[in-house]
Amino acid sequence: MLDIHLLRTDLENVCKRLLTRGFSLDMTYFQKLVEERGSIRTNTQKLEENRNNISGMIGQLRVAGHGIDDKEIGDFLHQMLVIHDQLSLAKISLGKIESKLQQFLEVVPNLPHSTVPKEGKNEEIRRWGTGKTSDSLSFSVKDHVSIGEGLGLLDFKTATKLSGARFSIMKGGLARLHRALAQFMLDTHTQKHGYTETNVPYLVNAKSLYGTGQLPKFEGDLFKIHRERYGKEEGMTAQELQGKIHDVDSPSLQEENWYLIPTSEVPLTNTVRNEIVSLESLPIKLTTLTPCFRSEAGNYGKDTHGMIRQHQFDKVELVQIVHPQKSYEALEQLVGHAEKILQKLELPYRVVVLCTGEIGFSAAKTYDIEVWLPAQNTYREISSCSNCEAFQARRMQARFRNENGKPELLHTLNGSGLAVGRCLVAVLENYQNADGSVSIPKVLRPYMGGINRLIA
RNA sequence: GGAGAGGUGGCCGAGUGGUCGAAGGCGUUCCCCUGCUAAGGGAGUAUAGGCUCAAAAGGCUUAUCGAGGGUUCGAAUCCCUCUCUCUCCGCCA
């Protein structure tokens, strides 16, 4: 969520910056809402002030021993009847206008940072390593699907039987390699990069998803768990109860629903929701390994083959919660932490900075790390590292007590460190041999019981 | 799943209808006193808004005592729903 003060004081500039990321903000509607809210609020507060004054005076009279029948009190009570009615109406319209404004603001994306490229192209920042190709390897490279199936360790057909499209089963050495990757990542981030290992819920409530920005705008990308926990209200028939259960949009039920996490950014970042943390506790650096669940709605044609785009995948996540002045420094470090994993695995990659048109809803600046996939003869995204500045913190009311002892919004960052499934794909393709076997990267061998290749 | 007890400021804890945004204590900030230390004295110390002011300071004001509704002229206090925590019983990896 953007700072409403910023919108009010610098509306045109904000609109311009939002336009660069393809979001057009309705200025006149916004201004109309703000003005209306102002006058309704002033009116409401005047009425409340009046009410407080008069009821205070009634209180004084009562304390002084006057009875309710006294004429003075009677006059006051009479006035209060009028105020009471006016106030009820005023509060209703105030509530309406405030929720309109809220609904307007909560779908406005973050402002891109000034260093984000404005034209519609991501910019490559740096490359590491040299990508292998069929030519450089002097044999025809296979993609991860044929490698995995060739080894007899990767099985999409059975997974489809169990669950449907976009799932997979790994077995034997491949499943172990997958686990080895995740363990290696976690160990590196906790032991070398100073992150605290965390274990988090995979089911979260709507408030958490709102906090990090997935809700309300991107509900379609999420898997929702309907919890049927409804107290039967008095006089409610069975049919009415049934109706209530299926009215999933009713606000009270939104609270009841759980969602499978699309990324562990959600639980990690929301640990500070509604908190005021101390200055000394910063930076907070958390990492966790979790499955991630994505419905991939709207991606039906993309990457239908293989493990690149699945409904469920494991990911090691890095989250930093930092002082606002340190967040860009932290972003560089965080990208570096993710890169380190690829370097140690000796997987070629490049880092790109996303342009204004491509950054995610909550992000002010994002670096993608793309790993080399020989079979696709291209780089594919394996990590996305973002600084969300105060955008999520404002939604979450996540603050710290600053140098002057005043609460101030934190900055939040997150990045994959890395997506385990895609990393496995990269290892398979980059470490494949002409005979169909796959060598094990050196750093993973301790996690693999010392074996150095997967053989059919 | 059943029964009960609770949720008040940074923390502890009082407060069962009326000058209560909330006693008292702890913590903390500033000032005074003391040769230093210890002790002592005084003042302050929630958050988010609105209005006022050139701005800051200050002043005025609204909301917030787990959340949301209700009763009432008036709610931290009474009623309802939800939620979380704790205790006991049951079940369970």
Side-chain angles (χ1 to χ4, degrees), chain A residues 24 45-46 87 116 120 140 142 196-197 200 209 223 230 258 267 284 318 333 342 371 378 380 402 406 448:
Chain A
S24 133
Q45 293 189 352
K46 282 249 163 66
L87 190 55
V116 170
S140 172
K142 295 193 277 186
T196 302
E197 183 167 352
V200 295
L209 288 153
F223 286 112
Y230 312 98
W258 272 332
I284 299 171
L318 302 172
Q333 287 167 5
L342 290 174
V371 70
T378 187
R380 287 302 303 259
N402 70 16
K406 290 288 161 203
M448 293 295 289

Side-chain angles (χ1 to χ4, degrees), chain A residues 140-160:
Chain A
S140 172
V141 297
K142 295 193 277 186
D143 73 2
H144 70 280
V145 176
S146 0
I147 299 167
E149 288 179 340
L151 291 166
L153 301 177
L154 186 58
D155 180 359
F156 292 98
K157 214 177 148 207
T158 310
T160 305

Side-chain angles (χ1 to χ4, degrees), chain A residues 329-366:
Chain A
E329 197 181 308
L331 179 61
E332 298 303 320
Q333 287 167 5
L334 194 145
V335 180
H337 297 151
E339 282 178 70
K340 195 76 192 170
I341 300 294
L342 290 174
Q343 291 173 10
K344 289 197 169 189
L345 289 168
E346 300 182 67
L347 292 170
Y349 67 87
R350 63 173 190 171
V351 179
V352 299
V353 58
L354 296 193
C355 66
T356 51
E358 301 234 349
I359 49 177
F361 179 72
S362 300
K365 183 172 187 177
T366 299

Side-chain angles (χ1 to χ4, degrees), chain A residues 164-271:
Chain A
R166 294 192 191 278
F167 290 91
S168 59
I169 292 176
M170 291 170 267
K171 287 191 292 195
L174 190 63
R176 185 170 189 179
L177 183 59
H178 183 263
R179 176 162 57 94
L181 278 167
Q183 299 305 319
F184 165 68
M185 292 175 195
L186 272 181
D187 286 347
T188 305
H189 295 314
T190 54
Q191 289 161 27
K192 311 272 194 222
H193 301 153
Y195 291 79
T196 302
E197 183 167 352
T198 313
N199 191 286
V200 295
Y202 306 157
L203 291 169
V204 294
N205 58 31
K207 281 183 188 143
S208 296
L209 288 153
Y210 176 83
T212 31
Q214 284 81 10
L215 286 181
K217 215 172 179 178
F218 307 101
E219 187 171 27
D221 298 337
L222 303 169
F223 286 112
K224 191 183 203 172
I225 309 289
H226 297 288
R227 284 208 279 172
E228 301 199 346
R229 307 174 45 194
Y230 312 98
K232 192 173 173 190
E233 285 164 22
E234 210 170 332
M236 195 184 236
T237 66
Q239 272 120 345
E240 280 167 342
L241 183 62
Q242 203 61 24
K244 192 177 168 189
I245 288 168
H246 289 102
D247 180 12
V248 292
D249 290 327
S250 107
S252 62
L253 296 192
Q254 290 277 336
E255 302 265 315
E256 305 255 353
N257 284 318
W258 272 332
Y259 297 81
L260 285 162
I261 53 171
T263 159
S264 36
E265 167 201 348
V266 177
L268 287 182
T269 307
N270 273 281
T271 54

